[in-house]
Amino acid sequence: MNLSVKIFAALVLSVIVGLIAGEAGLPFIKWWIAPIGTMFINLIKMMIVPVVFTSLVVGMTSLGDTKKLGRIGFRTVAIYLFTTAIAIIIGFAVAGVIQPGVGSELGAGTAPKVKDAPYIMKVFLDMIPTNPIDSMAKAAILPTIVFALFIGVGIIKVGGDRAQILVKFFDACAEVCYKIIAMIMEIAPIGVFCLLLPVVAANGPKVLLPLLSVIVAMAVGGLIHAVGVYSIMAKVMGGHSPISFFKGMSEAMMIAFTTCSSAGTLPVNMKNCQEKLGVSREVTSFVLPLGATLNMDGTAIYMGVCSVFIANVFNVPLTFEQMGLIVLTGTIASIGTAGVPGAGLIMLAMVLQSVGLPLEGLALVAGIDRVLDMFRTTVNITGDAAVAIAINKMEADK
Ligand code: ASP
């Protein structure tokens, strides 16, 4: 049986066992099963900084010139922004049809404490590390990327024998990282089962049913975006059939679904893109880490769906201008969203605030956020990979 089939089987099994166990089984599951899941995700996280850093340095040195990097960088960010804006519009459209929250008696609970309003320039400010070791210690991906880029450029500029020693060294390190990731993935079915079981047991039908319309809207929006936009991108821009694209991505998608973390899925996504989709190491190591932090199409869909939902629940009709503003702030907010579980909920506050929707709505969404996060994270990382295959083809056709 191949690995993705095993992971899928584990996923299905965890849903069945979780529903049977329910809240009664929760203490046992939390005590004995959940920590095994955490150990698995920690193993993957352990590899984020080493694999991003070493493979990016190698990727840079194999690019050979900085002009090429500028070109790849510009195209990557442009496609990322474009797909994100489409995602929010799809979120709106689906929510417009399903109308989550209409006629509900959910009422307002107490809003969770929202952190200081996120400030967009901070994303750019935080990109430059004042102390790269500190950034790596904190697994801050963007500053780590920037540092790796400088090391790469430095190596190219030094050139000659001395540079070759480093190129070989980092190349060997990157290879070791990929081997370790492959080893960790062998136990992925167990990890996925143990991660998902507590979620299913805790969020049984009781929690999910009242907000089913939001979950359905999120899932349908995610599906339309993935099947529509990514299939077209895979076919037209990436030279892959949609089936081979999604098949190649299946492991990473399931890990994203269970972990709800783009950053946590990054090592697996990098492995899948290189081994199954044939994306070069230089493109993978640049496009994917950037995407894991900047490109969040699933989160963008969520912003669209939740704004409509909250507007419906509180009976505030959304105007066309407000929708335009949501697309704008939602795109920016999704850039500022960290690739960790629950980050999108905090950024949703920024979007709601920008159009004057009640922040109390957050409390309603918070209860099911984990489930919504599963869908959005899966879309998020799939979007990164779709852009990676597109950029890879553009570079190969050069
Ligand atoms: N959990 C998402 C991710 O890591 C971010 C979010 O909460 O929207 O991709």
Side-chain angles (χ1 to χ4, degrees):
M1 226 198 297
N2 84 20
L3 187 58
S4 23
V5 177
K6 282 190 203 157
I7 301 177
F8 186 71
L11 215 136
V12 174
L13 193 66
S14 67
V15 173
I16 298 169
V17 177
L19 286 177
I20 296 171
E23 269 173 53
L26 207 52
F28 176 86
I29 292 172
K30 278 203 170 140
W31 195 251
W32 294 107
I33 313 274
I36 302 174
T38 309
M39 282 192 245
F40 167 68
I41 183 65
N42 286 354
L43 280 172
I44 301 187
K45 282 189 185 159
M46 170 178 95
M47 297 313 295
I48 297 175
V49 171
V51 79
V52 168
F53 185 71
T54 56
S55 68
L56 193 49
V57 172
V58 179
M60 276 295 301
T61 52
S62 56
L63 280 178
D65 71 284
T66 41
K67 255 205 348 251
K68 193 166 166 191
L69 177 77
R71 185 176 66 226
I72 296 182
F74 177 77
R75 286 181 177 166
T76 304
V77 174
I79 307 179
Y80 277 160
L81 289 177
F82 181 66
T83 52
T84 304
I86 295 185
I88 304 194
I89 295 168
I90 291 182
F92 272 139
V94 172
V97 173
I98 296 181
Q99 289 295 352
V102 157
S104 78
E105 289 160 16
L106 286 165
T110 38
K113 216 177 145 21
V114 180
K115 285 199 197 149
D116 298 338
Y119 158 55
I120 193 66
M121 274 311 277
K122 195 162 180 328
V123 178
F124 300 107
L125 193 64
D126 288 347
M127 277 186 189
I128 314 280
T130 47
N131 176 350
I133 307 292
D134 184 50
S135 303
M136 290 196 214
K138 292 187 176 127
I141 298 176
L142 285 179
T144 304
I145 293 177
V146 171
F147 183 58
L149 291 181
F150 275 104
I151 296 283
V153 173
I155 293 176
I156 295 172
K157 296 241 182 261
V158 168
D161 284 351
R162 279 185 303 172
Q164 271 313 309
I165 297 173
L166 286 175
V167 173
K168 282 201 176 128
F169 171 75
F170 281 116
D171 189 40
C173 289
E175 216 42 64
V176 171
C177 289
Y178 283 111
K179 279 279 169 309
I180 297 175
I181 295 165
M183 277 159 50
I184 298 171
M185 283 306 287
E186 306 229 336
I187 56 158
I190 300 172
V192 163
F193 178 82
C194 298
L195 276 169
L196 210 53
L197 190 61
V199 179
V200 180
N203 295 283
K206 226 171 49 205
V207 181
L208 302 186
L209 280 181
L211 291 165
L212 198 62
S213 58
V214 186
I215 299 170
V216 170
M218 178 69 223
V220 172
L223 200 70
I224 293 178
H225 190 72
V227 173
V229 178
Y230 300 153
S231 294
I232 295 174
M233 280 177 75
K235 183 93 203 141
V236 179
M237 298 168 81
H240 276 272
S241 81
I243 295 188
S244 88
F245 172 67
F246 287 110
K247 216 166 144 200
M249 282 300 293
S250 55
E251 282 170 23
M253 286 171 83
M254 284 186 278
I255 298 293
F257 188 79
T258 24
T259 60
C260 291
S261 168
S262 299
T265 313
L266 183 56
V268 185
N269 203 3
M270 290 171 78
K271 179 175 173 287
N272 276 183
C273 276
Q274 284 179 34
E275 290 175 4
K276 308 232 162 103
L277 301 173
V279 181
S280 72
R281 181 173 292 176
E282 62 191 31
V283 170
T284 316
S285 56
F286 179 72
V287 175
L288 291 185
L290 210 61
T293 39
L294 297 186
N295 184 46
M296 308 253 170
D297 294 354
T299 304
I301 296 172
Y302 161 85
M303 308 271 182
V305 167
C306 289
S307 321
V308 174
F309 166 67
I310 291 167
N312 280 344
V313 170
F314 292 93
N315 253 323
V316 224
L318 278 181
T319 63
F320 211 68
E321 287 84 58
Q322 275 176 315
M323 287 193 186
L325 200 58
I326 292 173
V327 173
L328 194 71
T329 44
T331 305
I332 298 173
S334 75
I335 295 174
T337 309
V340 296
L345 181 69
I346 297 164
M347 299 310 276
L348 180 61
M350 174 173 142
V351 175
L352 296 180
Q353 222 162 19
S354 74
V355 289
L357 281 171
L359 285 183
E360 284 78 15
L362 289 181
L364 299 176
V365 183
I368 49 155
D369 195 63
R370 174 77 197 196
V371 180
L372 300 176
D373 206 353
M374 292 170 146
F375 292 106
R376 59 183 196 251
T377 309
T378 309
V379 176
N380 287 347
I381 62 110
T382 312
D384 301 339
V387 175
I389 57 168
I391 299 281
N392 191 59
K393 178 134 190 304
M394 285 179 199
E395 287 304 311
D397 291 347
K398 269 252 151 316

